[in-house]
Amino acid sequence: MNQEGEAKVGTLYVVATPIGNREDMTFRAVRVLKEADAIAAEDTRHTGQLLKHFEIQTPQISCHQHNEARRIPELLEKLQQGQTIALVSDAGTPGISDPGVPLISACIEAGISVVPVPGACAAIAALVASGLSLARFSFEGFLPVKGKERRASLEQLAQDSRTVVLYEAPHRLVTTLTDLAGTVGEMRSVAIARELTKRYEAIWRGSLADAVTQWSQPDEYGLTLKGEFVLVLEGAIAAEKPELSDAQLLRELQALIDQGVSKSRASRQLAQTHRLSKRQVYELSLQLG
Ligand code: SAM
C-alpha cells in the first residue's frame, strides 16, 4: 500500500539480452534482472547460463510461446501484488520474433507499467551495418515458409520502397534469396549478416543474383549453411537505377582493360560500381578481344 492507501502495482521490465556476445549485456539489464522479484524467461535453462555468468540469483518462471497464455494470469497477479517482473527471451529483444507480446499487452490493459530496457536486437545490428538507407525501414521477421502467404509477402516486398529486414533460418537462406531474386528483381542489393557479434560474424553485401551464387557454395569457413542470419533488402525505389546499355558497359570495360586491368578484375570493379551481377559483366567482357 502507498500513503494514499492504494495497492502498489508492480512493473514489467522488457529486458534485451545479448545476441551472442555477452559484452553486449547492459549494466542496466544486469541491475534490473538482479532487483526483479522474478524473471519470466523463454527458456529457463538457456537464461540460467546468462544469469550464472552475471551472478544473478533471481528466480525464473518459464514463459514461452506454448505456455504464455496460461502464464499471463499468474504473472499479472504477481504484478498486481506489487512485484517486479523482468521479461527476457533467449537472445535479443523480447517480442521481436520472440514471445512476450501477449504479456506486454495484458499488462498495459491491466494498468501495469511496462518499461523497456533496450539492448541487442539482430535486426537493428544488421540494419546499421548494411550500408542501405536507414531513412525508412520495415521489419518482416521470418517470411511465411510456403504457399499463398509466402507469395503475397514476396509480392508486397517487391513494392516496398523501404529497406526491409528479414530473419531467416540457415537451411532456408538460399531458397529465400532465390525467391526474392525472382520476385523483387535479381539486381536489388542485399546485405546478409551472419552470426552477428559472434566469432564467425560476417556481413556480405551485393546483388540478390550474386548472393544466390555466393551462398550456394561453402565459404572460407565451410559454414555457409550454419549460423544465424539477417537479410537486409534494399527498398524498391532506391533500387531503381537508370538502364545501363551493354555498349556503355563494354566501353567502360575496354577502358579498364586498356589500362592493364584484367578482364575478371575489370568485371568485378564495374559490377560493384553499377551494382550489377559479376557473372553478367564477366560474360559481357568475353566479347572483347
Ligand atoms: N529477439 C531476437 C532479436 O532481438 O533479434 C530475435 C529472435 S528470433 C527467434 C531469432 C532470429 O534472429 C534468428 O533466426 C536470426 O534470423 C536472428 N538472429 C538472432 N541472433 C542473431 C545473430 N547473432 N546474428 C544474426 N542473426 C541473428
Side-chain angles (χ1 to χ4, degrees), residues 181 185-188 204 206-214 277 279:
E186 56 174 18
M187 284 307 114
R188 198 83 82 88
W204 183 96
S207 67
L208 278 170
D210 288 336
V212 173
T213 314
Q214 170 75 24
S277 138
R279 185 172 32 86

Side-chain angles (χ1 to χ4, degrees), residues 19-20 42 89 91-98 120-123 142 166-170 193-198 228-230:
I19 55 168
E42 182 181 4
S89 62
T93 303
I96 306 292
S97 293
D98 262 344
C121 176
F142 293 93
L166 300 140
Y167 285 164
E168 195 46 282
R194 183 192 65 191
E195 292 286 271
L196 289 166
T197 79
K198 303 189 219 176
E228 297 194 279
F229 290 89
V230 182

Side-chain angles (χ1 to χ4, degrees), residues 29-273:
V30 173
R31 180 183 57 75
V32 167
L33 292 177
K34 276 189 174 162
E35 289 174 4
D37 293 298
I39 296 170
E42 182 181 4
D43 178 341
T44 52
R45 277 214 301 209
H46 185 94
T47 297
Q49 292 167 11
L50 184 80
L51 300 185
K52 192 166 167 220
H53 181 83
F54 288 100
E55 298 174 356
I56 298 166
Q57 270 136 28
T58 311
Q60 294 189 70
I61 298 171
S62 101
C63 184
H64 49 70
Q65 209 186 342
H66 305 291
N67 72 358
E68 204 172 16
R70 268 188 291 125
R71 279 284 190 248
I72 289 174
E74 189 187 319
L75 292 168
L76 282 183
E77 201 183 316
K78 289 182 189 297
L79 287 156
Q80 269 151 347
Q81 284 165 0
Q83 292 197 19
T84 297
I85 309 275
L87 171 69
V88 298
S89 62
D90 285 355
T93 303
I96 306 292
S97 293
D98 262 344
V101 176
L103 175 62
I104 294 166
S105 307
C107 286
I108 295 168
E109 220 163 284
I112 292 158
S113 45
V114 175
V115 176
V117 180
C121 176
I124 299 297
L127 255 177
V128 297
S130 68
L132 297 171
S133 169
L134 300 182
R136 295 169 69 235
F137 59 83
S138 65
F139 176 69
E140 273 293 315
F142 293 93
L143 280 176
V145 175
K146 53 187 176 187
K148 261 198 298 204
E149 284 115 8
R150 183 168 174 93
R151 272 198 304 284
S153 297
L154 286 164
E155 275 156 25
Q156 232 168 13
L157 291 189
Q159 311 300 325
D160 199 334
S161 60
R162 298 166 295 181
T163 299
V164 180
V165 189
L166 300 140
Y167 285 164
E168 195 46 282
H171 65 282
R172 302 200 47 83
L173 180 72
V174 175
T175 309
T176 291
L177 289 171
T178 308
D179 288 355
L180 283 169
T183 343
V184 310
E186 56 174 18
M187 284 307 114
R188 198 83 82 88
S189 292
V190 66
I192 302 175
R194 183 192 65 191
E195 292 286 271
L196 289 166
T197 79
K198 303 189 219 176
R199 181 168 177 201
Y200 293 109
E201 176 179 275
I203 303 173
W204 183 96
R205 302 170 186 87
S207 67
L208 278 170
D210 288 336
V212 173
T213 314
Q214 170 75 24
W215 291 89
S216 299
Q217 7 165 333
D219 68 0
E220 69 271 32
Y221 307 113
L223 278 179
T224 307
L225 296 176
K226 284 196 189 141
E228 297 194 279
F229 290 89
V230 182
L231 310 184
V232 187
L233 185 69
E234 182 184 32
I237 291 170
E240 276 174 20
K241 301 172 200 100
E243 204 49 40
L244 186 69
S245 70
D246 284 359
Q248 173 63 23
L249 209 49
L250 281 168
R251 274 195 294 278
E252 292 186 28
L253 277 167
Q254 188 65 62
L256 286 171
I257 292 165
D258 290 346
Q259 289 167 29
V261 180
S262 71
K263 270 186 193 162
S264 71
R265 209 189 164 89
S267 307
R268 214 170 31 244
Q269 190 176 322
L270 287 182
Q272 206 165 26
T273 310

